[in-house]
């Protein structure tokens, strides 16, 4: 994702919260909540709706209640009621389009070699070396990269065991790209130059015949000890991110080096090795599919205002970018997969699975159903004070019990970066409730059912940019969450063990005119796309 939207905090292991950044690994973006003890959305999603005030449909222009087929038709369950039985769809109901991950014309690695660098004080060094030796030849790698690269017969992964301990601080200025930039860390002069260290370490290993010379088809994975902090243009390790990948040029002046940085953010915990392999799997896949971040396989979202003609696909992708989507690992943060032998890796975005209406994050566990709800548009246009109605369609790819929809003003979570609390969206489900925590909810949704969400734009999103929150364009961001509350426990009533999300954005007429968007917004439907790619670096996790 672009550098302007690098930072997220994403819980992905029980009792462990890690963050990620540029070309980096993190999770909890709402695609699918993990077993983390905290709700990734930042509010209590407990099943109780006892304290909610019902939304009166008669107070709005549209008096429709829930509409759908099968046993759930028109049913809104009151407090303490039970949703109807399992819905048996013939196929997932027609719904909106998921994000479009495209090849933007940059380099892509095919059957890459993985070279693992560990320090003398890197925990679990032997296990990480074994992971690097086999991961590119695993069935997981072949499946997760199948849409993006050729992975037949990758070369054996190699390892370099550095004899020195890690330095206290390493500074990455993007191979000079960000040197002197306000986005580069102010402490750049106080640490070891990471780019020079990477280049020298590779050159020394080549001279010692431990590894072959760089060939432009290798990913160099550096696993740092807990005593080392990596900082620079992506921020500080274990605060801004749990891993990232980037690129630089080898000492010969021409050959590219693609590297992944894995700090030890779970130091001293039972999850230390799992956290490292989870982050590394994310970075290795992204460094292979998008080695020069956001020029290979990534969300196609054009920088603003540089683009003179944003395409429909770019408009449709933009709300997802605001949630932290970008490269193929970003889009599935919060999900994991266990390899044979117990090694933990991340599930990865699949265009094929997403376009077929299945869980986009592969591999998909056996027996798991994918359930979600999409709005009728990706971008809505409204003036401050306007109220309009969103038609939301629920869908699932397998028979399953009904679920709950929550609607959230996600703009407030973006504002938290700047310490702001202005509400931008008032959200109410027709026939639903607004709970005491302020979250609008409606229950008993299932395949093919429709719900109506009343949205009021409360403030001009232009204030977000004035506060330094750089979005693609001034927008308010909403998110619709599908929650399987039946999987919550009495011990953790606010935990979402199965949750998916679908975002939308609202812009004012002035911004719509400025970016070439009609007053009717952008319908969530596939249309012919226009290719746009500029050789201006954009940075992904």
């Amino acid at each position: 994702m672009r550098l302007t939207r690098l930072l997220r905090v994403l819980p992905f292991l029980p009792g462990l919260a890690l963050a990620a950044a540029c070309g980096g690994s993190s999770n909890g973006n709402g695609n699918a909540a993990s077993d983390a003890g905290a709700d990734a959305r930042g509010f209590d999603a407990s099943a109780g709706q006892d304290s909610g005030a019902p939304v009166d449909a008669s107070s709005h222009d549209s008096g429709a209640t829930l509409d759908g087929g099968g046993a759930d038709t028109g049913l809104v369950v009151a407090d303490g009621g039970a949703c109807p039985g399992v819905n048996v769809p013939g196929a997932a109901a027609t719904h909106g389009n998921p994000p479009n991950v495209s090849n933007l014309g940059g380099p892509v690695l095919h059957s890459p070699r993985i070279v693992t660098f560990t320090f003398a004080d890197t925990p679990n060094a032997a296990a990480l070396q074994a992971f690097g030796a086999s991961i590119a030849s695993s069935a997981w790698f072949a499946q997760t990269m199948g849409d993006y690269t050729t992975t037949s017969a990758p070369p054996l992964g190699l390892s370099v065991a550095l004899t020195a301990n890690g330095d206290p601080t390493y500074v990455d200025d993007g191979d000079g790209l960000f040197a002197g930039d306000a986005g580069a860390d102010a402490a750049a002069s106080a640490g070891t130059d990471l780019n020079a260290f990477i280049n020298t370490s590779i050159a020394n290993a080549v001279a010692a015949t431990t590894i072959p010379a760089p060939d432009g088809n290798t990913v160099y994975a550096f696993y740092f000890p807990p005593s080392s902090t990596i900082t620079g243009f992506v921020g500080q390790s274990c605060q801004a991110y749990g891993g990232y990948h980037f690129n630089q040029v080898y000492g010969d002046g021409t050959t590219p080096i693609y590297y992944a940085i894995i700090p030890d953010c779970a130091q001293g915990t039972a999850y230390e090795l799992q956290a490292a392999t989870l982050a590394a799997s994310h970075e290795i896949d992204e460094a292979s599919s998008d080695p020069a971040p956001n020029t290979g396989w990534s969300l196609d979202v054009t920088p603003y205002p540089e683009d003179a003609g944003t395409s429909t696909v770019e408009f449709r992708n933009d709300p997802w970018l605001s949630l932290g989507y970008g490269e193929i690992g970003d889009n599935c943060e919060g999900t994991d997969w266990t390899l044979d032998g117990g090694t933990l890796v991340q599930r990865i975005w699949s265009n094929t699975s997403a376009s077929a209406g299945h869980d986009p994050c592969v591999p998909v566990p056996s027996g798991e159903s994918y359930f979600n709800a999409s709005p009728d548009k990706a971008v809505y246009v409204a003036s401050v004070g306007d109220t309009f109605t969103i038609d939301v369609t629920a869908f699932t790819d397998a028979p399953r019990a009904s679920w709950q929809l929550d609607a959230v003003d996600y703009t407030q979570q973006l504002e938290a970066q700047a310490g702001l609390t202005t509400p931008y969206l008032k959200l109410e489900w027709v026939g639903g409730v607004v709970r005491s925590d302020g979250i609008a909810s409606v229950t008993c949704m299932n395949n093919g059912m429709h719900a109506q969400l009343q949205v009021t734009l409360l403030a001009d999103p232009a204030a977000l940019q004035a506060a330094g929150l750089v979005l693609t364009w001034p927008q308010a961001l909403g998110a619709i969450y599908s929650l399987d509350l039946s999987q919550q426990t009495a011990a953790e009533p606010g935990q979402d063990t199965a949750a998916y999300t679908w975002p939308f954005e609202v812009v004012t007429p002035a911004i719509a005119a400025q970016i070439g968007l009609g007053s009717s917004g952008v319908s969530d439907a596939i249309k012919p796309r226009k290719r746009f790619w500029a050789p201006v670096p954009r940075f992904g996790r």
Side-chain angles (χ1 to χ4, degrees), residues 488-516:
Q488 294 184 356
T489 66
E492 296 178 287
Q495 176 176 327
D496 299 335
T497 51
Y500 297 91
T501 190
W502 203 292
F504 62 90
E505 63 185 53
V506 183
V507 300
T508 62
I511 293 301
Q514 190 173 358
I515 62 180

Side-chain angles (χ1 to χ4, degrees), residues 425-499:
L425 298 175
K426 179 181 179 182
L427 304 170
E428 298 176 306
W429 294 104
V430 175
V433 299
V434 176
R435 301 197 307 255
S436 58
D437 61 4
I439 303 302
S441 296
V442 66
T443 56
C444 297
M445 298 299 296
N446 214 307
N447 192 56
M449 293 186 64
H450 295 267
Q452 291 189 316
L453 180 64
Q454 300 287 346
V455 180
T456 302
L457 182 63
L458 301 175
D460 190 341
L464 294 168
Q465 287 196 326
L469 292 175
V470 182
L471 304 175
T472 316
W473 39 72
Q475 61 183 253
L477 185 68
I480 298 167
Y481 288 88
S482 291
L483 310 175
D484 185 349
L485 300 182
S486 68
Q487 298 188 26
Q488 294 184 356
T489 66
E492 296 178 287
Q495 176 176 327
D496 299 335
T497 51

Side-chain angles (χ1 to χ4, degrees), residues 260-424:
I261 300 301
I262 314 298
D264 187 345
C265 298
Q267 50 189 289
T269 72
Y271 310 108
E272 194 166 29
L273 177 59
Q274 291 177 307
T277 58
L278 190 65
S281 63
H282 175 129
E283 299 311 326
I284 287 169
D285 265 20
E286 288 188 344
S288 301
S289 61
D290 190 27
N294 291 111
T295 66
W297 286 96
S298 184
L299 280 192
D300 188 3
V301 179
T302 303
Y304 166 80
E306 291 87 352
D307 184 18
T310 303
S311 70
T312 299
V313 169
E314 291 166 339
F315 279 125
R316 281 182 33 240
N317 283 346
D318 194 71
W320 297 92
L321 183 71
S322 298
L323 286 188
Y325 284 52
E327 297 173 300
I328 62 173
D330 301 333
N331 303 355
C332 293
E333 288 166 346
T335 66
D336 56 65
W337 183 261
T338 303
L339 302 178
D340 293 340
T343 300
L344 193 68
V345 292
Q346 190 191 295
R347 292 162 62 185
I348 301 294
W349 183 270
S350 165
N351 274 342
T352 299
S353 187
S355 63
H358 302 306
D359 194 324
C361 300
V362 300
V364 178
S366 177
E368 179 181 282
S369 63
Y370 175 55
F371 62 101
N372 212 330
S374 63
D376 54 357
K377 294 182 181 180
V379 184
Y380 298 86
V381 180
S383 298
V384 174
D386 284 354
T387 297
F388 59 95
T389 300
I390 292 178
D391 183 67
V392 177
T393 303
F395 64 95
T396 178
D397 66 348
R400 59 159 296 111
S402 299
W403 63 92
Q404 174 176 304
L405 300 184
D406 283 0
V408 177
D409 179 4
Y410 198 87
T411 323
Q412 291 185 289
Q413 294 199 29
L414 298 178
E415 282 188 292
Q417 300 175 32
L420 304 176
T421 59
T422 302
Y424 280 85

